[in-house]
Amino acid sequence: MEYTKCWLEYPRIRSEEGRTLTLQNLAEGSVGQSAEKELALGLRGLYGIGLTEGGPEAAVTLKTDGALPDGGYVLHAAKGSVTVRGGGAGVLYGVFALLRHLQTAWCGWDELTLEEEKRPSNDLRLLNHWDNLEGDIERGYSGRSFFFRDNQILVGQRTVDYARMAASCGVNGVVLNNVNVRAAAVELISDRYYAPLRRIQEILAAYGIRMYLSVNFAAPISLGGLGTADPLDGSVQSWWREKADEIWRNLPGLGGFLVKADSEGQPGPHSYGRDQADGANMLADAIAPHGGRVIWRCFVYNCQQDWRDRVTDRARAGFDNFMPLDGKFRDNVTLQIKNGPMDFQVREPVSPLFGGLKHTNRILEVQIAQEYTGQQRHVCYLIPWFKEILETDLMCREGGSRVSSLIAGPNQGMAAVANTGDDPNWTGHDLAAANLYGFGRLSYDTSLTPEAIAREWLRQTYGRSPEVEETLLKILLSSWHTYEKYNAPLGIGWMVVPETHYGPSVDGYEYSRWGTYHRADRNGLGVDRTARGTGYCGQYAPALAAIYADLETCPEELVLFFHHLPYTYMLKSGVTVIQHIYDTHFEGASEAEAFLRMVEGLEGKLPEDVYRRMHARFVHQARHAREWCDVINSYFLRLSGIQDDKGRPIYA
Ligand code: GCU
């Protein structure tokens, strides 16, 4: 199938057809070869310039520099002469940076003057694909898998182009398969799949990317024929040890395993009365001799809750399950923690585990697959949200405790649930590619701003057209807030259609087993998570807990996450809770309509097929945002009996 190259299209800046530059490539290994290939591709596209081999006097020098950390690079450019030095994959990142700078400056090859030195902010920068072996993608909104189809592994040019895209924005690890490991996926760690997996692994490795696999904790039973998967059972331990030997013999350099255990029906150590550390450490010991890492997810909660039960609070679960185990995990275990305590809602507080854990490696897990944020049919540029998360100060230690610093350091970092599929534009919505690019860039360099990232992405994707750039930039930068406005209000979340998670259904999750309640009645809504309520607030460091618990200081956008409030409660913005609900929903819906008008102004200025695809999505978004607005407003008018003080149409 034909597909785009997203931000690697290299639109022509100016023609220098016929010109060749000399290159001295001293960069080591397959990554060094990729760096050269990428430079050649970029120069041909941007200028029509070719490359030929040269000596010490060459115009461009690429060089591996062991003094730099893996992924770090130094880039000098002046008067057409360029040097890129890098540690490990850094030389490749330096080449991509050079091409990016040429495009952001939109200048001729000889005109770029630059001195840049970068080191990755995060050690691990991972994409987690929720691709199933059958070819479907759990929470996938951009077609089918390009890794798997009908229980076969696909390897081809698309794999290479995927690796190029991932590396170009700094991603250095990829988990190929869904965390819910079922059916044939259990057999990924068997002879059935090693050969094609090895081919994917080599492609990724040439782009500085380590491959990881999700494994099923009960594999000793389903794959090994044992009667148990108890992590403290000797036969289970030796089964995993032998399995690890076999896996690394076939897939040398594999990064390790990602594990979803004791979560939403997946097996885990709890079934045997063991704790999460028992489970993770057993696997960690088995793969340690091979340099493997266990990435263990903290998404462990009771998904069989009774809505009548007002004591149990799902938000507490991650902390309650993992905090007592701090310091008990092996060095080659990293806990992967979702950004918020619930599940990728449009707004949540930062998980208290990031601040609580003191002796355990951590990864921040975000989701660029827009499960709850418009499913790549609505535009929702998530980088401003991720940036806010990174900048949140958890007040848990002297001298600064922003999330970005808590996840920095060896064996830590960021992971994103990926948003790609085999759609011709990779991400369904053309603008959703900005989330893929942006996640990589932000995880590599957490100091970047969402605007700088969006501008880079726009310039590389659509070339230089100020009107296109300014219009799409405006849409991107406001899109998350717009989406939030017509969604569930003030941090409460979950007013979506169950299972599909698309479209409004205020009570969809109110009487379910999932622990996701808004507690709206005729007087008010929200969940009291202070000491008077579920006590969740107390999981934060005392200074922050006090801020959330006090209505005077609780950030307003989260106020219903932490407090149950009457509709008549006056917010600091000067309107009541109910009026805030009406106002934001009307605003959100009209902003979505304004997006559509703005995009319509770009007809003829974007490539025809891009325009057509984008336009269709914005038409849908405008209509669907109106639906959200009307459903939510009508629900609350009917329940509260309080009229909109601006008298707008609500369907009472
Ligand atoms: C969400 C999502 C599931 C997914 C789960 C997870 O609940 O809806 O499809 O399996 O997250 O993160 O494991």
Side-chain angles (χ1 to χ4, degrees):
M1 199 204 279
E2 283 283 305
Y3 55 85
T4 70
K5 300 285 189 316
C6 290
W7 58 90
L8 298 181
E9 292 284 0
Y10 299 120
R12 183 58 58 97
I13 294 178
R14 89 176 48 146
S15 180
E16 299 193 39
E17 214 72 60
R19 181 173 174 192
T20 47
L21 294 173
T22 49
L23 166 77
Q24 185 185 34
N25 186 1
L26 304 173
E28 290 161 10
S30 58
V31 165
Q33 287 164 21
S34 300
E36 178 171 340
K37 261 190 240 157
E38 293 304 319
L39 182 65
L41 264 173
L43 291 186
R44 194 177 321 128
L46 297 177
Y47 307 105
I49 293 178
L51 279 178
T52 117
E53 218 153 293
E57 300 297 304
V60 187
T61 303
L62 308 180
K63 197 169 166 207
T64 303
D65 183 341
L68 290 167
D70 187 17
Y73 65 84
V74 178
L75 168 59
H76 292 276
K79 300 196 178 92
S81 157
V82 169
T83 315
V84 181
R85 289 186 289 118
V91 69
L92 179 61
Y93 297 162
V95 164
F96 280 122
L98 171 67
L99 296 168
R100 185 165 62 235
H101 283 298
L102 288 163
Q103 290 177 89
T104 13
W106 206 255
C107 65
W109 169 257
D110 297 316
E111 287 162 19
L112 186 72
T113 305
L114 187 75
E115 295 269 332
E116 182 174 76
E117 175 160 0
K118 291 275 177 192
R119 284 152 200 261
S121 310
N122 289 297
D123 185 9
L124 300 169
R125 307 177 298 278
L126 311 177
L127 285 173
N128 291 185
H129 290 270
W130 286 0
D131 293 28
N132 293 320
L133 273 277
E134 294 79 1
D136 59 309
I137 302 176
E138 179 149 344
R139 310 303 175 187
Y141 311 107
S142 40
R144 294 175 64 78
S145 175
F146 49 77
F147 292 125
F148 310 116
R149 185 186 304 151
D150 301 332
N151 294 330
Q152 303 294 319
I153 294 183
L154 309 175
V155 195
Q157 187 55 39
R158 192 140 190 172
T159 327
V160 178
D161 286 321
Y162 165 78
R164 298 178 56 229
M165 281 164 56
S168 72
C169 55
V171 166
N172 70 350
V174 164
V175 187
L176 284 190
N177 63 307
N178 189 2
V179 286
N180 295 310
V181 184
R182 301 191 193 95
V186 177
E187 292 179 58
L188 273 177
I189 47 170
S190 77
D191 282 334
R192 182 172 174 191
Y193 290 116
Y194 289 139
L197 279 179
R198 175 96 185 241
R199 291 175 56 209
I200 294 194
Q201 192 182 15
E202 280 163 4
I203 290 171
L204 295 174
Y207 281 87
I209 299 168
R210 282 192 135 191
M211 186 174 87
Y212 295 75
L213 296 172
S214 296
V215 298
N216 185 305
F217 194 79
I221 302 173
S222 47
L223 199 57
L226 302 188
T228 177
D230 181 351
L232 300 193
D233 183 294
S235 64
V236 171
Q237 293 168 353
S238 53
W239 186 84
W240 275 113
R241 267 199 309 273
E242 281 160 34
K243 187 41 93 178
D245 294 345
E246 174 194 303
I247 296 171
W248 266 266
R249 217 173 24 252
N250 286 282
L251 303 171
L254 184 74
F257 299 154
L258 174 63
V259 190
K260 172 177 179 177
D262 292 313
S263 171
E264 302 185 328
Q266 290 297 306
H270 285 175
S271 320
Y272 305 96
R274 314 299 183 195
D275 65 31
Q276 299 293 298
D278 293 328
N281 289 342
M282 180 274 295
L283 287 176
D285 289 342
I287 69 178
H290 310 285
R293 170 155 301 279
V294 171
I295 301 174
W296 189 269
R297 295 177 87 229
C298 294
F299 189 54
V300 178
Y301 69 99
N302 172 10
C303 65
Q304 299 293 341
Q305 209 182 307
D306 188 329
W307 58 270
R308 300 164 191 86
D309 165 7
R310 285 185 166 245
V311 178
T312 311
D313 180 4
R314 170 167 166 182
R316 295 186 55 116
F319 192 93
D320 285 344
N321 277 306
F322 286 89
M323 214 28 234
L325 302 174
D326 189 24
K328 298 209 169 122
F329 292 93
R330 301 280 191 265
D331 280 351
N332 66 328
V333 174
T334 297
L335 297 186
Q336 185 166 300
I337 308 164
K338 288 193 185 189
N339 60 271
M342 297 300 267
D343 191 6
F344 302 136
Q345 300 303 291
V346 67
R347 173 82 70 173
E348 289 184 43
V350 168
S351 166
L353 263 179
F354 290 106
L357 296 171
K358 300 280 185 286
H359 312 286
T360 306
N361 301 317
R362 280 152 287 183
I363 283 178
L364 164 65
E365 178 181 320
V366 293
Q367 191 191 45
I368 53 176
Q370 294 169 234
E371 178 177 359
Y372 293 97
T373 49
Q375 304 199 348
Q376 291 154 241
R377 299 180 76 189
H378 295 230
V379 60
C380 191
Y381 179 55
L382 291 161
I383 307 308
W385 175 212
F386 302 163
K387 181 78 181 179
E388 252 186 62
I389 293 164
L390 289 168
E391 294 204 330
T392 302
D393 187 343
L394 291 172
M395 301 185 174
C396 59
R397 63 179 190 203
E398 300 264 323
S401 42
R402 291 184 178 206
V403 173
S404 57
S405 66
L406 298 171
I407 59 167
N411 304 317
Q412 304 205 104
M414 291 175 73
V417 178
N419 62 353
T420 52
D422 72 355
D423 274 0
N425 65 354
W426 298 81
T427 53
H429 202 309
D430 284 63
L431 296 180
N435 284 328
L436 179 61
Y437 177 82
F439 164 75
R441 293 286 289 133
L442 189 65
S443 65
Y444 182 87
D445 183 354
T446 52
S447 74
L448 291 171
T449 66
E451 175 171 347
I453 293 173
R455 276 198 192 277
E456 282 177 1
W457 177 78
L458 285 164
R459 192 68 66 89
Q460 291 173 88
T461 305
Y462 300 117
R464 191 163 77 157
S465 154
E467 192 181 346
V468 168
E469 187 170 316
E470 293 308 320
T471 306
L472 295 181
L473 181 73
K474 212 161 163 192
I475 293 176
L476 285 174
L477 291 181
S478 47
S479 57
W480 169 49
H481 285 302
T482 296
Y483 191 81
E484 183 181 22
K485 282 182 184 174
Y486 55 78
N487 217 267
L490 297 167
I492 190 71
W494 296 108
M495 295 181 176
V496 286
V497 176
E499 184 47 35
T500 65
H501 298 168
Y502 196 68
S505 173
V506 181
D507 281 337
Y509 274 109
E510 194 56 17
Y511 304 98
S512 74
R513 62 183 172 89
W514 297 96
T516 45
Y517 314 116
H518 54 64
R519 311 278 193 217
D521 60 22
R522 64 182 182 158
N523 300 314
L525 83 162
V527 178
D528 184 356
R529 292 190 160 103
T530 68
R532 286 180 307 278
T534 73
Y536 165 81
C537 272
Q539 295 185 338
Y540 292 95
L544 187 55
I547 289 176
Y548 287 142
D550 185 347
L551 269 172
E552 279 304 306
T553 48
C554 181
E556 206 132 88
E557 64 276 9
L558 286 168
V559 77
L560 295 178
F561 187 91
F562 287 107
H563 299 272
H564 185 90
L565 294 179
Y567 295 118
T568 51
Y569 178 84
M570 189 61 77
L571 295 167
K572 285 188 220 92
S573 56
V575 296
T576 58
V577 167
I578 191 74
Q579 194 55 43
H580 174 92
I581 294 176
Y582 298 149
D583 288 351
T584 49
H585 284 77
F586 282 119
E587 272 166 39
S590 57
E591 284 168 22
E593 243 172 76
F595 288 169
L596 173 61
R597 303 289 156 247
M598 287 159 80
V599 165
E600 283 176 340
L602 299 181
E603 189 170 10
K605 293 168 187 140
L606 281 166
E608 168 67 27
D609 56 332
V610 175
Y611 178 78
R612 233 183 321 102
R613 279 196 302 261
M614 233 190 241
H615 183 254
R617 304 242 162 188
F618 279 101
V619 168
H620 169 76
Q621 179 175 356
R623 201 179 325 115
H624 202 229
R626 178 61 56 188
E627 180 73 5
W628 268 99
C629 164
D630 289 344
V631 170
I632 301 240
N633 282 348
S634 302
Y635 178 95
F636 284 104
L637 173 58
R638 290 173 192 180
L639 195 61
S640 70
I642 303 173
Q643 297 297 324
D644 169 30
D645 65 14
K646 301 197 178 74
R648 291 162 291 196
I650 301 181
Y651 302 86

Coordinates of all heavy atoms in Angstrom, one line a residue, residues 325-380:
L325 N 6.3 -1.8 48.2 CA 7.4 -2.6 47.6 C 8.6 -1.8 47.1 O 9.5 -2.3 46.6 CB 6.8 -3.4 46.4 CG 5.6 -4.3 46.7 CD1 5.0 -4.9 45.4 CD2 6.0 -5.4 47.6
D326 N 8.6 -0.5 47.4 CA 9.7 0.4 47.0 C 11.0 -0.2 47.5 O 11.1 -0.4 48.7 CB 9.4 1.8 47.5 CG 10.4 2.8 46.9 OD1 11.0 2.5 45.8 OD2 10.6 3.8 47.5
G327 N 12.0 -0.3 46.7 CA 13.3 -0.8 47.1 C 13.4 -2.3 47.0 O 14.5 -2.8 47.2
K328 N 12.3 -3.0 46.7 CA 12.4 -4.5 46.6 C 12.6 -5.0 45.2 O 12.8 -6.2 45.0 CB 11.1 -5.1 47.2 CG 10.8 -4.7 48.6 CD 10.0 -5.8 49.4 CE 10.0 -5.5 50.9 NZ 8.7 -5.4 51.4
F329 N 12.6 -4.1 44.2 CA 12.7 -4.5 42.9 C 14.2 -4.6 42.5 O 15.0 -3.8 42.9 CB 12.0 -3.6 41.9 CG 10.5 -3.7 42.1 CD1 9.8 -2.8 42.9 CD2 9.8 -4.7 41.4 CE1 8.5 -2.9 43.1 CE2 8.4 -4.7 41.6 CZ 7.7 -3.8 42.4
R330 N 14.5 -5.6 41.6 CA 15.9 -5.7 41.1 C 16.3 -4.4 40.3 O 15.4 -3.8 39.8 CB 16.0 -6.9 40.2 CG 15.7 -8.2 40.9 CD 16.8 -8.8 41.7 NE 16.5 -10.1 42.1 CZ 15.9 -10.5 43.2 NH1 15.6 -9.6 44.2 NH2 15.6 -11.7 43.5
D331 N 17.6 -4.3 40.1 CA 18.0 -3.1 39.3 C 17.5 -3.2 37.8 O 17.4 -2.2 37.2 CB 19.6 -3.1 39.2 CG 20.1 -2.5 40.5 OD1 19.3 -1.9 41.3 OD2 21.3 -2.5 40.7
N332 N 17.4 -4.4 37.3 CA 16.9 -4.5 35.9 C 15.4 -4.6 35.8 O 14.9 -5.2 34.9 CB 17.6 -5.7 35.2 CG 17.3 -7.0 35.7 OD1 17.1 -7.2 36.9 ND2 17.3 -8.0 34.9
V333 N 14.7 -4.1 36.8 CA 13.3 -3.9 36.7 C 13.0 -2.4 36.7 O 13.6 -1.6 37.4 CB 12.5 -4.5 38.0 CG1 11.0 -4.2 37.9 CG2 12.8 -6.0 38.0
T334 N 12.1 -2.0 35.8 CA 11.7 -0.6 35.8 C 10.1 -0.6 35.8 O 9.5 -1.4 35.0 CB 12.1 0.1 34.5 OG1 13.6 0.1 34.4 CG2 11.6 1.5 34.4
L335 N 9.6 0.1 36.7 CA 8.1 0.2 36.8 C 7.6 1.2 35.8 O 8.1 2.3 35.7 CB 7.7 0.6 38.2 CG 8.0 -0.4 39.3 CD1 7.4 0.0 40.6 CD2 7.6 -1.9 39.0
Q336 N 6.6 0.8 35.1 CA 6.0 1.7 34.1 C 4.6 2.2 34.6 O 3.7 1.4 34.8 CB 5.9 1.1 32.7 CG 5.4 2.0 31.6 CD 5.6 1.4 30.2 OE1 6.7 1.1 29.8 NE2 4.5 1.3 29.5
I337 N 4.6 3.5 34.8 CA 3.4 4.1 35.5 C 2.7 5.0 34.6 O 3.2 5.9 34.0 CB 3.9 4.9 36.8 CG1 4.9 4.1 37.6 CG2 2.8 5.5 37.6 CD1 5.7 4.9 38.6
K338 N 1.4 4.8 34.5 CA 0.6 5.7 33.7 C 0.6 7.1 34.2 O 0.7 7.3 35.5 CB -0.9 5.2 33.6 CG -1.1 4.0 32.7 CD -2.5 3.7 32.3 CE -2.7 2.4 31.6 NZ -4.0 2.2 31.0
N339 N 0.5 8.1 33.4 CA 0.6 9.5 33.9 C -0.3 9.8 35.0 O 0.1 10.5 36.0 CB 0.5 10.5 32.7 CG -0.9 10.4 32.1 OD1 -1.1 9.7 31.1 ND2 -1.8 11.2 32.5
G340 N -1.5 9.3 34.9 CA -2.5 9.6 36.0 C -2.9 8.4 36.7 O -2.6 7.3 36.3
P341 N -3.6 8.5 37.8 CA -4.0 7.3 38.6 C -5.1 6.6 38.0 O -5.4 5.5 38.5 CB -4.4 8.0 40.0 CG -4.9 9.3 39.6 CD -4.1 9.8 38.5
M342 N -5.8 7.1 37.0 CA -7.0 6.4 36.4 C -6.5 5.7 35.1 O -5.9 4.7 35.1 CB -8.2 7.3 36.2 CG -8.7 7.9 37.5 SD -9.3 6.6 38.7 CE -11.0 6.6 38.3
D343 N -6.8 6.4 34.0 CA -6.5 5.8 32.7 C -6.6 6.7 31.5 O -7.6 6.7 30.8 CB -7.5 4.6 32.5 CG -7.2 3.7 31.4 OD1 -6.1 3.9 30.8 OD2 -8.0 2.8 31.1
F344 N -5.6 7.5 31.3 CA -5.5 8.3 30.1 C -6.7 9.2 29.8 O -7.1 9.4 28.7 CB -5.3 7.4 28.9 CG -4.0 6.6 29.0 CD1 -4.1 5.2 28.6 CD2 -2.8 7.1 29.4 CE1 -3.0 4.4 28.6 CE2 -1.7 6.3 29.4 CZ -1.8 4.9 29.1
Q345 N -7.4 9.7 30.9 CA -8.5 10.7 30.7 C -7.9 12.0 30.2 O -6.7 12.2 30.2 CB -9.2 10.9 32.0 CG -9.8 9.6 32.5 CD -10.8 8.9 31.5 OE1 -11.8 9.4 31.2 NE2 -10.3 7.8 31.0
V346 N -8.8 12.9 29.7 CA -8.3 14.1 29.1 C -7.6 15.0 30.1 O -6.8 15.8 29.8 CB -9.5 14.9 28.4 CG1 -10.5 15.3 29.4 CG2 -9.0 16.0 27.5
R347 N -7.9 14.8 31.4 CA -7.3 15.5 32.5 C -7.3 14.6 33.7 O -8.3 14.1 34.1 CB -8.0 16.8 32.7 CG -7.6 17.6 33.9 CD -6.4 18.5 33.7 NE -6.7 19.6 32.8 CZ -5.8 20.6 32.5 NH1 -4.6 20.6 33.1 NH2 -6.2 21.6 31.7
E348 N -6.1 14.5 34.3 CA -6.0 13.7 35.6 C -4.8 14.4 36.3 O -3.9 14.9 35.7 CB -5.6 12.3 35.4 CG -6.7 11.4 34.8 CD -6.2 9.9 34.7 OE1 -5.6 9.4 35.6 OE2 -6.5 9.3 33.6
P349 N -4.8 14.2 37.7 CA -3.6 14.6 38.3 C -2.5 13.6 38.0 O -2.8 12.6 37.5 CB -4.0 14.5 39.8 CG -5.1 13.6 39.9 CD -5.8 13.7 38.5
V350 N -1.2 14.0 38.3 CA -0.1 13.1 38.1 C -0.2 12.0 39.1 O -0.5 12.3 40.3 CB 1.2 13.9 38.2 CG1 2.4 13.0 38.2 CG2 1.3 14.8 37.0
S351 N 0.1 10.8 38.7 CA 0.1 9.7 39.6 C 1.1 9.9 40.8 O 2.3 10.3 40.6 CB 0.6 8.4 38.9 OG 0.9 7.4 39.9
P352 N 0.6 9.7 42.0 CA 1.5 10.0 43.2 C 2.6 9.0 43.3 O 3.6 9.3 44.1 CB 0.5 9.8 44.4 CG -0.6 9.0 43.9 CD -0.8 9.3 42.4
L353 N 2.6 7.9 42.5 CA 3.7 7.0 42.6 C 5.0 7.6 42.2 O 6.1 7.2 42.7 CB 3.4 5.8 41.7 CG 2.8 4.5 42.3 CD1 2.6 3.5 41.2 CD2 3.7 4.0 43.4
F354 N 5.0 8.5 41.2 CA 6.2 9.1 40.7 C 7.0 9.8 41.9 O 8.2 9.8 41.9 CB 5.9 10.2 39.6 CG 5.5 9.5 38.4 CD1 4.2 9.6 38.0 CD2 6.4 8.8 37.6 CE1 3.7 9.0 36.8 CE2 5.9 8.2 36.4 CZ 4.6 8.3 36.0
G355 N 6.2 10.4 42.8 CA 6.9 11.1 43.9 C 7.1 10.1 45.0 O 8.1 10.3 45.8
G356 N 6.3 9.1 45.2 CA 6.4 8.2 46.3 C 7.6 7.3 46.3 O 8.4 7.2 47.2
L357 N 7.8 6.7 45.1 CA 8.9 5.7 45.0 C 10.2 6.4 45.1 O 10.5 7.5 44.5 CB 8.8 5.0 43.6 CG 7.6 4.1 43.4 CD1 7.5 3.7 41.9 CD2 7.5 2.9 44.3
K358 N 11.1 5.9 45.9 CA 12.4 6.5 46.1 C 13.6 5.6 45.6 O 14.6 6.0 45.4 CB 12.7 6.8 47.6 CG 11.6 7.7 48.2 CD 12.0 9.2 47.9 CE 11.0 10.2 48.6 NZ 9.7 10.2 48.1
H359 N 13.3 4.3 45.6 CA 14.4 3.4 45.3 C 14.0 2.4 44.2 O 14.4 1.3 44.2 CB 14.7 2.5 46.6 CG 14.8 3.4 47.8 ND1 15.9 4.2 48.0 CD2 14.0 3.6 48.9 CE1 15.8 4.8 49.2 NE2 14.6 4.5 49.7
T360 N 13.2 2.9 43.3 CA 12.8 2.0 42.2 C 12.8 2.8 40.9 O 12.5 4.0 40.8 CB 11.3 1.6 42.5 OG1 11.2 1.0 43.8 CG2 10.8 0.6 41.5
N361 N 13.3 2.1 39.8 CA 13.3 2.8 38.5 C 11.9 3.0 38.0 O 11.0 2.1 38.1 CB 14.0 1.9 37.5 CG 15.5 1.5 37.9 OD1 16.2 2.4 38.3 ND2 15.9 0.3 37.7
R362 N 11.7 4.1 37.3 CA 10.4 4.5 36.8 C 10.4 4.9 35.4 O 11.3 5.6 34.9 CB 9.9 5.7 37.6 CG 9.3 5.4 39.0 CD 9.5 6.6 39.9 NE 10.9 6.7 40.3 CZ 11.3 7.7 41.1 NH1 10.5 8.5 41.6 NH2 12.6 7.7 41.4
I363 N 9.3 4.6 34.7 CA 9.0 5.1 33.4 C 7.6 5.8 33.4 O 6.7 5.2 34.0 CB 9.0 4.0 32.3 CG1 10.4 3.6 32.0 CG2 8.2 4.4 31.1 CD1 10.4 2.4 30.9
L364 N 7.5 7.0 32.8 CA 6.2 7.6 32.7 C 5.5 7.1 31.4 O 6.1 7.2 30.3 CB 6.5 9.1 32.6 CG 5.3 10.0 32.0 CD1 4.1 10.0 33.0 CD2 5.8 11.4 31.8
E365 N 4.4 6.5 31.6 CA 3.6 6.0 30.4 C 2.5 7.0 30.0 O 1.7 7.3 30.9 CB 3.0 4.7 30.8 CG 2.2 4.1 29.6 CD 1.5 2.7 29.9 OE1 2.2 1.9 30.6 OE2 0.4 2.5 29.5
V366 N 2.6 7.4 28.8 CA 1.5 8.3 28.3 C 0.9 7.5 27.1 O 1.4 6.5 26.6 CB 2.0 9.7 27.8 CG1 2.5 10.5 29.0 CG2 3.1 9.5 26.8
Q367 N -0.2 8.1 26.6 CA -0.9 7.4 25.4 C -1.1 8.4 24.3 O -1.8 9.4 24.4 CB -2.2 6.9 25.9 CG -2.9 5.9 24.9 CD -4.3 5.6 25.2 OE1 -5.1 6.5 25.6 NE2 -4.7 4.3 25.2
I368 N -0.4 8.1 23.2 CA -0.6 9.0 22.0 C -1.7 8.4 21.1 O -2.3 9.1 20.3 CB 0.7 9.3 21.2 CG1 1.5 8.1 20.8 CG2 1.5 10.3 22.0 CD1 2.7 8.4 20.0
A369 N -2.0 7.1 21.3 CA -3.2 6.6 20.7 C -4.3 7.3 21.5 O -4.4 7.3 22.7 CB -3.4 5.1 20.9
Q370 N -5.2 8.0 20.8 CA -6.1 8.9 21.5 C -7.4 8.2 21.9 O -8.5 8.6 21.6 CB -6.5 10.1 20.6 CG -5.3 11.0 20.2 CD -5.6 12.0 19.1 OE1 -5.0 12.1 18.1 NE2 -6.7 12.7 19.2
E371 N -7.2 7.2 22.8 CA -8.3 6.4 23.2 C -9.5 7.3 23.8 O -10.6 7.1 23.4 CB -7.9 5.4 24.2 CG -9.0 4.5 24.8 CD -8.5 3.5 25.8 OE1 -7.2 3.4 26.0 OE2 -9.3 2.7 26.3
Y372 N -9.1 8.1 24.7 CA -10.1 9.0 25.4 C -10.0 10.4 24.9 O -10.7 11.3 25.5 CB -9.9 8.9 26.9 CG -10.2 7.6 27.5 CD1 -9.2 6.7 27.8 CD2 -11.5 7.2 27.8 CE1 -9.4 5.4 28.4 CE2 -11.8 6.0 28.4 CZ -10.7 5.1 28.7 OH -11.0 3.9 29.3
T373 N -9.3 10.7 23.9 CA -9.1 12.1 23.5 C -9.4 12.2 22.0 O -8.7 13.0 21.3 CB -7.6 12.6 23.8 OG1 -6.7 11.6 23.4 CG2 -7.5 12.8 25.3
G374 N -10.4 11.5 21.6 CA -10.9 11.8 20.2 C -10.5 10.8 19.2 O -10.8 10.9 18.0
Q375 N -9.8 9.7 19.6 CA -9.5 8.6 18.7 C -9.0 8.9 17.3 O -9.4 8.3 16.3 CB -10.7 7.7 18.7 CG -11.1 7.2 20.1 CD -12.0 6.0 20.2 OE1 -12.6 5.6 19.2 NE2 -12.2 5.5 21.4
Q376 N -8.2 9.9 17.3 CA -7.6 10.3 16.0 C -8.6 10.7 14.9 O -8.3 10.7 13.7 CB -6.5 9.3 15.5 CG -5.4 9.3 16.5 CD -4.6 7.9 16.6 OE1 -4.5 7.4 17.7 NE2 -4.1 7.5 15.5
R377 N -9.8 11.0 15.4 CA -10.8 11.6 14.5 C -10.9 13.1 14.9 O -11.1 13.9 14.1 CB -12.2 10.9 14.6 CG -12.0 9.4 14.2 CD -13.3 8.7 14.3 NE -14.2 9.0 13.2 CZ -15.5 8.7 13.1 NH1 -16.1 8.0 14.1 NH2 -16.2 9.0 12.1
H378 N -10.9 13.3 16.2 CA -10.8 14.7 16.7 C -9.3 15.1 16.7 O -8.5 14.2 17.0 CB -11.3 14.8 18.1 CG -12.8 14.6 18.2 ND1 -13.7 15.4 18.8 CD2 -13.6 13.5 17.7 CE1 -14.9 14.9 18.8 NE2 -14.9 13.7 18.1
V379 N -9.0 16.3 16.4 CA -7.6 16.7 16.6 C -7.4 17.0 18.1 O -8.2 17.6 18.8 CB -7.3 18.0 15.8 CG1 -8.2 19.2 16.2 CG2 -5.8 18.4 15.9
C380 N -6.3 16.4 18.6 CA -5.9 16.7 20.0 C -4.4 16.5 20.1 O -3.9 15.4 20.3 CB -6.7 15.7 20.9 SG -6.6 16.1 22.7

